[in-house]
Amino acid sequence: MNEWQKEMVKVAGDISESKERVKKRVLQQQNVKAKKPIRFALLTAIVTFCLVGFIMVQLLNKETKQSANKFNDTLLTHFEKITRINWGKQDEEFYSKEAFERYKKVVAIYYYAKSLDIQYSEAELKAVRNEHYDELVTLQQVPEYAELFKEEGVDKYFKKYLEPLLPMYATRKKLETFYLEKYPTFPKGIVQQIAAQDALRYFDKHFAEQAKTFQEQNGIKNYNSSSHGTIYMGTVIKVEVESNAFLFVKGVVPKDLENLSQEQIMKKYPKATWYPVMDDFFLKQGDYVCLESNSSQSIDENGIVTHYGVLNNVEISEPTVTTKLNIQNEQEAIQFFRQTVWQPAEDMESPPDYSFMLEGVRVDVWLSYGQSLYVYKEGYGIVHLSQKRSEELKAILGIEK
């Protein structure tokens, strides 16, 4: 140690210990500073990951909501405008319900066709565009429809309301072509209804919640007119696999057809109706079924009338057995029917519950709601008896129900 260092030690004392402490502290600080960038980088990575994750979730949620939203308020307005014109003066609830049903059918057909991988070309879309634009221009000349274009004009109205629907209309045309090939023996009008019915059935199975939410948002009560039809009981008398169709005759059981040829069946039951075979339901000749139909059409070709129907649902059932009655007090029954006013005969949806012979004439009886009776007398017609008259006839015939 030189003289200068010795003098410093005298004044400050021995600082070697302090020097070591300072050295250690400096080294510790250096170590801490070296770690800070690692912590900071890790924290930055975590924040960045969370931020990216949040953004991705938002984008996915937005995409999910957009894909789940099968309906649009603006397009519903278009259908409501058209409904008001076509149906005249109705209550407000009717307009919203009917407009939604029309709109839903178009949307259902679109998504059902997509599920079948049915696609249209640009040329087909262009043709549909021209068709609907020309139709709109024509409607402009009709006084009732002219109201549609007063505020916006044909071009603006078309762009706002019709252009978003064009892909759906193009798809509908393609689906109709597909169904005409599937049911070659059915008239076009019925085929269009069958396609729409299948589309609605598919849509209700897969997108019922989206439809319900949209209805609630627009204050539309749950309503589905297309799901209700007439129930028929009867027998399948023929199945044509190539035509995807079966022939159904209502009001008879398989036993009634046992000894009849195909020609005799057709002659005896001229109102037998062709229905489409449902893809997921196997039917064979002789099946006794309960079916629901909401529409039918008859075609007259060279004096031969053929009947076609739209099928909502079908189920195989146990045959309804008609109980044959042996009338003991025939004179009392004759007297009862003398006071009956007969109406023109109408088709009944099911076989009679009871049948008996009276003065050589067959009489069929059906139990109806509230235990009242329908009675058909061959050659006379049909009558729906009141509750009181029904009880009187039950007592005469010995019917305990």
Side-chain angles (χ1 to χ4, degrees):
M1 206 172 6
N2 59 31
E3 293 299 324
W4 181 80
Q5 289 174 324
K6 289 178 180 178
E7 291 298 323
M8 287 292 293
V9 169
K10 289 180 181 178
V11 175
D14 190 358
I15 60 171
S16 59
E17 224 177 279
S18 297
K19 188 169 88 172
E20 286 300 318
R21 283 199 304 270
V22 171
K23 183 178 178 182
K24 287 180 181 180
R25 188 179 295 118
V26 169
L27 289 174
Q28 287 174 350
Q29 288 176 349
Q30 286 177 345
N31 289 337
V32 169
K33 287 180 181 177
K35 290 179 181 178
K36 276 185 178 178
I38 297 174
R39 288 182 179 177
F40 181 76
L42 181 60
L43 181 61
T44 303
I46 293 172
V47 172
T48 303
F49 178 78
C50 292
L51 183 61
V52 170
F54 176 77
I55 293 171
M56 288 298 294
V57 168
Q58 294 301 311
L59 290 173
L60 287 171
N61 284 342
K62 184 177 180 182
E63 184 179 345
T64 301
K65 287 177 182 177
Q66 288 175 344
S67 63
N69 187 13
K70 303 292 187 272
F71 301 96
N72 178 284
D73 291 341
T74 302
L75 299 184
L76 178 64
T77 300
H78 163 68
F79 284 95
E80 189 168 328
K81 287 173 181 281
I82 299 299
T83 302
R84 288 179 182 275
I85 293 171
N86 289 342
W87 285 94
K89 192 172 182 180
Q90 303 286 338
D91 58 68
E92 290 300 313
E93 187 177 288
F94 173 85
Y95 293 130
S96 60
K97 288 179 178 179
E98 186 66 25
F100 177 72
E101 284 302 304
R102 291 187 178 199
Y103 184 19
K104 179 185 173 183
K105 186 180 290 185
V106 173
V107 173
I109 288 173
Y110 176 72
Y111 284 100
Y112 177 56
K114 284 183 70 174
S115 75
L116 299 175
D117 199 29
I118 293 175
Q119 301 175 359
Y120 57 83
S121 66
E122 285 299 318
E124 288 168 331
L125 181 62
K126 185 178 180 180
V128 169
R129 185 188 192 283
N130 293 337
E131 177 187 335
H132 283 272
Y133 182 81
D134 292 343
E135 183 183 60
L136 212 59
V137 171
T138 303
L139 289 177
Q140 188 182 15
Q141 312 304 319
V142 181
E144 293 83 358
Y145 285 90
E147 292 291 326
L148 290 175
F149 317 115
K150 274 189 176 180
E151 294 182 6
E152 300 169 302
V154 172
D155 289 342
K156 287 185 177 180
Y157 189 93
F158 183 84
K159 187 173 183 62
K160 182 177 181 180
Y161 295 112
L162 271 298
E163 278 198 347
L165 291 168
L166 293 180
M168 298 183 187
Y169 289 149
T171 302
R172 182 173 63 184
K173 273 186 172 290
K174 296 290 289 184
L175 184 67
E176 287 175 359
T177 301
F178 176 82
Y179 264 68
L180 285 169
E181 294 172 354
K182 186 176 181 180
Y183 301 106
T185 59
F186 282 69
K188 184 177 181 180
I190 285 291
V191 170
Q192 291 172 337
Q193 292 183 56
I194 294 170
Q197 191 68 34
D198 286 354
L200 287 168
R201 191 180 295 111
Y202 168 85
F203 193 83
D204 287 339
K205 182 178 179 180
H206 293 87
F207 305 112
E209 285 303 312
Q210 288 89 330
K212 182 181 177 182
T213 300
F214 185 75
Q215 285 177 275
E216 291 173 350
Q217 290 171 348
N218 288 274
I220 303 170
K221 293 183 179 179
N222 192 24
Y223 172 78
N224 194 345
S225 60
S226 60
S227 65
H228 303 296
T230 304
I231 304 295
Y232 301 110
M233 302 292 294
T235 301
V236 176
I237 60 176
K238 191 175 184 180
V239 178
E240 288 191 352
V241 179
E242 293 183 0
S243 302
N244 290 307
F246 69 92
L247 189 59
F248 168 84
V249 58
K250 63 183 177 181
V252 301
V253 294
K255 189 176 181 181
D256 295 335
L257 310 173
E258 285 180 356
N259 300 318
L260 299 177
S261 66
Q262 195 74 235
E263 186 179 346
Q264 288 173 321
I265 291 173
M266 295 301 295
K267 186 176 181 179
K268 185 173 182 178
Y269 303 104
K271 290 189 177 181
T273 303
W274 287 101
Y275 286 99
V277 172
M278 297 179 74
D279 292 335
D280 55 351
F281 197 89
F282 177 75
L283 282 175
K284 66 181 184 300
Q285 184 175 332
D287 281 342
Y288 184 74
V289 299
C290 171
L291 64 80
E292 180 186 2
S293 174
N294 65 353
S295 183
S296 62
Q297 183 178 345
S298 300
I299 302 296
D300 188 341
E301 295 178 330
N302 301 320
I304 300 175
V305 180
T306 308
H307 307 278
Y308 301 91
V310 178
L311 188 64
N312 291 9
N313 191 32
V314 60
E315 295 177 356
I316 295 178
S317 302
E318 287 296 320
T320 302
V321 178
T322 300
T323 302
K324 297 190 180 299
L325 300 174
N326 186 16
I327 305 301
Q328 301 298 323
N329 46 353
E330 187 172 314
Q331 288 302 316
E332 193 175 349
I334 292 172
Q335 185 63 32
F336 177 90
F337 286 119
R338 282 179 182 168
Q339 303 170 26
T340 301
V341 179
W342 300 98
Q343 302 296 325
E346 61 182 74
D347 292 328
M348 299 298 289
E349 289 77 26
S350 61
D353 296 290
Y354 301 95
S355 179
F356 60 92
M357 300 299 293
L358 188 64
E359 297 183 297
V361 176
R362 175 170 167 162
V363 181
D364 293 325
V365 180
W366 289 263
L367 292 171
S368 185
Y369 298 107
Q371 295 301 305
S372 63
L373 300 177
Y374 274 96
V375 182
Y376 169 76
K377 188 174 182 182
E378 199 169 293
Y380 288 78
I382 198 166
V383 64
H384 185 193
L385 298 176
S386 66
Q387 184 81 30
K388 182 180 178 181
R389 292 275 288 167
S390 296
E391 293 301 327
E392 291 176 11
L393 183 60
K394 287 178 186 179
I396 294 172
L397 300 179
I399 298 174
E400 296 180 359
K401 292 184 179 180

